[in-house]
Amino acid sequence: MRITSTSCICPVLVCLCFVQRCNGAAHHGSIKVTRNQTKHIEGETEVHHRPKRGWVWNQFFVLEEHMGPDPQYVGKLHSNSDKGDGSVKYILTGEGAGTIFIIDDTTGDIHSTKSLDREQKTHYVLHAQAIDRRTNKPLEPESEFIIKVQDINDNAPKFTDGPYIVTVPEMSEMGTSVLQVTATDADDPTYGNSARVVYSILQGQPYFSVDPKTGVIRTALHNMDREAREHYSVVIQAKDMAGQVGGLSGSTTVNITLTDVNDNPPRFPQKHYQLYVPESAQVGSAVGKIKANDADTGSNADMKYTIINGDGSGVFSVSTDKETREGIISLKKPLNYEKKKSYTLNIEGANTHLDFRFSHLGPFKDVTMLKIIVGDVDEPPLFTMPSYVMEVYENAKIGTAVGTVTAQDPDIANSLVRYFIDRNTEEDRFFTIDANTGTIKTAKIFDREETPWYNITVAASEIDNPELVSHVQVGVRILDINDNPPELAREYDVVVCENAKPGQVIQTITATDKDNSANGARFHFSLDEGLSLNPNFTLRDNEDNTASILTRRRRYSRTTQDTYYLPVLISDGGVPPLSSSSTLTIRVCACERDGRVRTCHAEAFLSSAGLSTGALIAILLCVVILLAIVVLFITLRRSKKEPLIISEEDVRENVVTYDDEGGGEEDTEAFDITALRNPSAAEELKYRRDVRPEVKPVLRHHASSSLDSIDVQEFIKQRLAEADLDPSVPPYDSLQTYAYEGHRSEAGSISSLDSATTHSDQDYNYLGDWGPEFKKLAELYGEIESERTT
């Protein structure tokens, strides 16, 4: 099969077609077709030749971006078996077959129906086959060929990374590289000049230049100064077709900023400055500012200020504010207008970060002179001392002078001063001050032992300007006088053993004095000389502010005397000396041989009330026990009597319990009322109704008439004997209650126990004869009687 292409229109393609046509059969032996006829030449007869091998062509070209109204002709397929009678049918398959590429199945002509873009797809692989139209059998094996999309210059160069932002140091040398830009072209770089890009600068000259081949941007001037111009906008163009006319182009913007270098020294705007500072300015406060200008920025403009000379270098100081780069003038010492009215300072401002490449532009420092004028201010009075300490003796009379404070007006006017005490604390009220002289006096009598020190605040103000006030602290120390006698350091519990020997030390005592050491550091101990010589004990002064108590005889007896009292006289060494007398209590105790106390008489441990703690505890314990007994007794008396038979499920079968209630006094059947009768009402012996007796009852030996005179105690004993001898009682204790009310009164008994079993026999009219005390009772029984009658 022969494939004919009409796309080989350029000389290069013609040569390529020739080479491929000559070598195609060698490289693609599978597509072998013989040609059986030659072209007829006009005017000549047909000439027959020996059959030759057919040529093979396996590649087509089609131009991209075809915009014609008709499909673009690509090429032609032809088989040597095709005699032109339409018996051969050409079939095209593969990429784009039937959609992009169509074939005339009779002639084998291939057309492109769509506009193609090489940048989207560079080639298409298709398969061709010739078959017999009648039998649909292939006449040749299937052949593969390629249709390449031929590039045209339809894409302009593009800067994919633009726009650009870049910096370069100022004062750089000419030709310093700034940035390299790159443009890309989507056209085929292997075909023609469609993708060959050339760079040029459209904007930014004469400051910058660009290499046309590499796109490297460089500085084009010497010593470009940031302080003159800092920002530049450079436009770079990229053009294809090697920059020829008709080529496509693209551009980008490069924003170039010059960075700062330290090429400008600092400069003070003026060579002389003047500053006013009032003399009342506080030490350490900022009194002024100064600044040297530097055209540089950042660390290149950092500066340090110093005072290099001047008569005010010891009074003022300068520091640098890193944020504002200003010199802060501060006061080191107080100002006094009356002593010095002005100062002169020479201040230097210098860069801290130097670039030695530009040292020829220096020096990178500057000096200016600052004159400071001290302003006069009306100042408050000034005390001659920063604080005062004064002394006064305790017990001094009210109005005693303590000391004097002095203040003066530091101004030239030298105004008069008035003194007063701030009444802010309680201590300030204990003193007074003379408003004119400043003399401080006492306002109370002081006791050093109570408060040894006082702090007060004294104020001074000018008479002409009372608002100007100054203060000073005054400390007043209270001096001691010997006004407190010495006394024993503590309460001593002195014990002497019964087996003590003469001259034995039984106690060492010390003393204290509220006065300070100057009025009582030395104590003298002695026995009271006004008393007779003590035969039992003596005292020895140890001359070290202590004294020892010694025994004067052998053996002491607790039974004879268990307590001794020894008066001791103590005096101090003050002027005048003071003394006091104390009495030591010495107890006699039984001791072991080694001197340990074994026991002492009980009275030796008693307090002033005469009872020891143990005795008090014993008494309280007895009282508590008695109270517990009384409470228990009252509780038992008030407690309710429990029934004899508690459980309803008692195992004894002869006990019967009933849960019904009686009918009161009128009910004589539910309860044997004779158990409550008194001796005078008993007529006969009644036996237990809940047990059947097995023996005959024992008759009484006493007549009923004798019961009137029987005593209650005898009656109870008789009943107890009967209960003990009664064989019919249950085999456990039985409780019988006798409610005896005593002998009859003169008014007679109103109890129902003596009443008859029926109420019809009882007459209550006699209650009305008993007097007004029984009037209410007579009315009640009268109503009951009337109801019964009714």
Side-chain angles (χ1 to χ4, degrees):
M1 180 172 63
R2 184 177 62 206
I3 303 174
T4 304
S5 173
T6 61
S7 301
C8 300
I9 57 177
C10 65
V12 178
L13 292 178
V14 171
C15 296
L16 182 61
C17 291
F18 177 76
V19 173
Q20 289 184 349
R21 285 174 180 175
C22 295
N23 299 330
H27 295 288
H28 301 278
S30 61
I31 312 176
K32 294 181 179 180
V33 181
T34 59
R35 186 171 55 192
N36 297 323
Q37 63 181 14
T38 60
K39 184 179 180 181
H40 293 280
I41 302 176
E42 186 178 354
E44 295 183 358
T45 60
E46 182 178 354
V47 180
H48 293 276
H49 301 278
R50 181 178 56 86
K52 297 180 180 179
R53 295 178 64 87
W55 52 270
V56 178
W57 176 248
N58 65 342
Q59 184 168 285
F60 287 142
F61 288 91
V62 59
L63 290 175
E64 67 171 336
E65 306 294 346
H66 176 70
M67 304 303 292
D70 299 327
Q72 183 181 5
Y73 183 73
V74 178
K76 183 181 181 66
L77 297 179
H78 185 74
S79 174
N80 291 340
S81 301
D82 187 359
K83 297 180 175 56
D85 55 0
S87 61
V88 178
K89 180 180 180 181
Y90 297 95
I91 299 174
L92 185 66
T93 60
E95 295 179 338
T99 56
I100 301 176
F101 303 103
I102 60 174
I103 188 171
D104 189 329
D105 61 353
T106 301
T107 63
D109 293 331
I110 302 174
H111 292 81
S112 173
T113 61
K114 296 183 179 180
S115 178
L116 303 179
D117 188 359
R118 190 200 68 84
E119 285 71 37
Q120 293 183 358
K121 191 170 179 64
T122 59
H123 66 276
Y124 297 85
V125 179
L126 295 97
H127 299 83
Q129 191 172 25
I131 64 174
D132 192 322
R133 190 180 295 275
R134 292 185 297 273
T135 63
N136 288 330
K137 292 183 178 180
L139 299 176
E140 297 179 10
E142 185 179 74
S143 298
E144 180 182 280
F145 65 96
I146 298 174
I147 298 178
K148 287 189 175 182
V149 182
Q150 185 176 341
D151 183 47
I152 64 174
N153 189 19
D154 60 341
N155 290 280
K158 294 182 180 180
F159 293 92
T160 58
D161 297 331
Y164 300 88
I165 299 176
V166 67
T167 60
V168 62
E170 65 171 334
M171 309 300 291
S172 298
E173 296 182 359
M174 186 177 64
T176 301
S177 176
V178 179
L179 177 68
Q180 182 179 13
V181 295
T182 303
T184 58
D185 196 318
D187 293 328
D188 189 359
T190 64
Y191 176 71
N193 293 327
S194 299
R196 185 179 176 185
V197 178
V198 175
Y199 299 95
S200 62
I201 184 168
L202 301 181
Q203 177 183 321
Q205 295 175 335
Y207 306 104
F208 299 94
S209 64
V210 63
D211 190 300
K213 293 183 179 180
T214 61
V216 176
I217 302 173
R218 302 178 184 274
T219 57
L221 293 179
H222 288 285
N223 300 330
M224 297 177 65
D225 192 2
R226 183 198 67 84
E227 288 72 31
R229 183 178 177 181
E230 184 176 4
H231 301 287
Y232 296 86
S233 181
V234 179
V235 179
I236 303 296
Q237 183 191 65
K239 189 175 183 180
D240 60 11
M241 298 299 292
Q244 298 177 3
V245 177
L248 302 179
S249 63
S251 63
T252 186
T253 301
V254 180
N255 296 313
I256 302 175
T257 301
L258 298 182
T259 58
D260 184 59
V261 297
N262 192 7
D263 59 339
N264 294 279
R267 291 291 179 264
F268 286 102
Q270 302 177 22
K271 290 299 181 181
H272 296 86
Y273 290 90
Q274 185 170 309
L275 179 64
Y276 174 83
V277 179
E279 64 174 338
S280 59
Q282 298 294 323
V283 174
S285 63
V287 296
K289 298 180 181 179
I290 193 169
K291 184 177 183 180
N293 296 329
D294 194 327
D296 297 321
T297 61
S299 61
N300 295 318
D302 287 346
M303 205 169 306
K304 181 180 180 181
Y305 297 92
T306 55
I307 299 176
I308 55 177
N309 54 45
D311 58 355
S313 59
V315 181
F316 297 91
S317 64
V318 62
S319 60
T320 304
D321 189 330
K322 295 182 179 180
E323 297 294 331
T324 62
R325 297 185 175 93
E326 294 177 327
I328 309 300
I329 310 299
S330 301
L331 185 63
K332 293 172 58 178
K333 294 181 180 180
L335 299 177
N336 192 333
Y337 173 81
E338 289 72 25
K339 292 183 179 180
K340 191 172 181 60
K341 296 178 175 58
S342 64
Y343 297 89
T344 301
L345 300 176
N346 290 325
I347 300 178
E348 178 186 80
N351 285 141
T352 57
H353 301 88
L354 300 179
D355 193 337
F356 295 102
R357 296 178 300 170
F358 309 104
S359 58
H360 61 281
L361 302 176
F364 285 82
K365 59 183 178 179
D366 196 16
V367 179
T368 188
M369 185 180 71
L370 175 63
K371 184 177 182 180
I372 299 177
I373 306 299
V374 180
D376 186 20
V377 177
D378 191 4
E379 300 175 274
L382 183 64
F383 284 94
T384 57
M385 297 177 62
S387 62
Y388 293 86
V389 176
M390 302 178 181
E391 297 177 343
V392 64
Y393 281 99
E394 65 176 331
N395 297 331
K397 296 181 180 180
I398 296 177
T400 301
V402 179
T404 302
V405 296
T406 304
Q408 294 179 351
D409 183 8
D411 300 321
I412 298 177
N414 195 15
S415 300
L416 295 178
V417 177
R418 175 180 173 271
Y419 303 94
F420 59 94
I421 296 177
D422 283 347
R423 305 298 182 180
N424 297 327
T425 63
E426 187 67 23
E427 294 182 354
D428 294 329
R429 305 180 184 276
F430 298 156
F431 299 90
T432 61
I433 189 170
D434 190 296
N436 298 320
T437 63
T439 301
I440 300 174
K441 298 180 180 181
T442 61
K444 64 167 289 187
I445 297 176
F446 298 100
D447 185 1
R448 190 202 66 86
E449 288 72 34
E450 180 181 350
T451 305
W453 187 276
Y454 292 89
N455 292 310
I456 61 176
T457 302
V458 177
S461 65
E462 295 181 8
I463 295 179
D464 298 336
N465 190 358
E467 295 181 357
L468 296 176
V469 181
S470 59
H471 300 81
V472 70
Q473 293 293 324
V474 178
V476 180
R477 181 187 295 111
I478 307 301
L479 300 179
D480 183 50
I481 63 174
N482 194 22
D483 58 343
N484 291 280
E487 57 186 13
L488 289 176
R490 59 184 177 86
E491 293 290 337
Y492 290 94
D493 182 18
V494 185
V495 174
V496 61
C497 296
E498 289 182 318
N499 55 358
K501 298 178 181 179
Q504 181 179 346
V505 177
I506 60 175
Q507 183 68 52
T508 300
I509 59 175
T510 60
T512 60
D513 196 328
K514 294 181 181 180
D515 297 322
N516 60 23
S517 58
N519 290 310
R522 173 70 176 89
F523 299 115
H524 176 70
F525 299 87
S526 64
L527 297 179
D528 193 348
E529 297 178 354
L531 301 177
S532 58
L533 182 64
N534 193 317
N536 301 308
F537 303 96
T538 186
L539 183 143
R540 182 181 65 199
D541 191 344
N542 298 326
E543 297 184 356
D544 58 355
N545 292 335
T546 64
S548 300
I549 307 300
L550 296 86
T551 59
R552 299 193 66 175
R553 64 185 180 87
R554 183 186 302 273
R555 293 192 176 277
Y556 296 84
S557 175
R558 288 180 297 161
T559 58
T560 303
Q561 185 174 354
D562 58 355
T563 303
Y564 294 90
Y565 301 97
L566 181 65
V568 177
L569 183 65
I570 310 173
S571 60
D572 58 22
V575 179
L578 298 179
S579 62
S580 65
S581 178
S582 300
T583 301
L584 292 176
T585 301
I586 304 174
R587 297 182 296 116
V588 180
C589 298
C591 302
E592 302 291 345
R593 291 186 177 181
D594 55 0
R596 290 184 293 109
V597 176
R598 183 174 69 247
T599 180
C600 296
H601 207 288
E603 286 75 8
F605 296 97
L606 296 181
S607 62
S608 59
L611 292 176
S612 64
T613 304
L616 292 176
I617 294 175
I619 293 173
L620 291 177
L621 183 61
C622 294
V623 172
V624 171
I625 294 174
L626 291 176
L627 290 176
I629 295 174
V630 171
V631 172
L632 180 62
F633 178 76
I634 294 175
T635 304
L636 293 177
R637 289 288 302 272
R638 294 182 178 180
S639 62
K640 184 179 178 180
K641 297 180 180 179
E642 298 294 335
L644 182 61
I645 300 175
I646 299 175
S647 174
E648 297 181 359
E649 300 179 358
D650 200 292
V651 297
R652 292 179 289 272
E653 298 179 357
N654 58 344
V655 177
V656 180
T657 61
Y658 299 93
D659 293 334
D660 58 330
E661 297 181 356
E665 294 182 351
E666 296 179 359
D667 188 0
T668 59
E669 299 298 330
F671 180 72
D672 188 3
I673 200 172
T674 58
L676 301 177
R677 64 175 177 256
N678 53 45
S680 61
E683 297 179 357
E684 61 181 354
L685 177 63
K686 297 293 184 180
Y687 290 93
R688 293 175 57 92
R689 300 174 61 185
D690 55 346
V691 180
R692 181 185 297 272
E694 296 181 0
V695 296
K696 293 181 180 181
V698 180
L699 297 178
R700 294 186 181 181
H701 301 283
H702 301 282
S704 60
S705 59
S706 63
L707 293 176
D708 294 335
S709 60
I710 192 170
D711 186 72
V712 174
Q713 184 178 2
E714 294 296 329
F715 173 77
I716 293 174
K717 289 182 178 180
Q718 179 181 351
R719 289 288 187 239
L720 179 60
E722 292 178 356
D724 292 339
L725 298 176
D726 190 356
S728 62
V729 298
Y732 51 85
D733 293 340
S734 177
L735 179 63
Q736 298 185 13
T737 303
Y738 300 93
Y740 174 64
E741 297 181 354
H743 295 285
R744 295 180 181 269
S745 64
E746 297 180 357
S749 175
I750 60 173
S751 174
S752 61
L753 298 178
D754 296 335
S755 302
T757 57
T758 61
H759 296 282
S760 58
D761 299 333
Q762 183 68 31
D763 185 9
Y764 298 101
N765 293 329
Y766 64 90
L767 294 176
D769 301 332
W770 288 4
E773 292 83 358
F774 298 90
K775 180 179 180 181
K776 187 63 178 178
L777 187 61
E779 293 177 356
L780 292 176
Y781 277 92
E783 292 176 358
I784 295 174
E785 185 66 23
S786 62
E787 289 177 1
R788 290 176 179 173
T789 307
T790 304

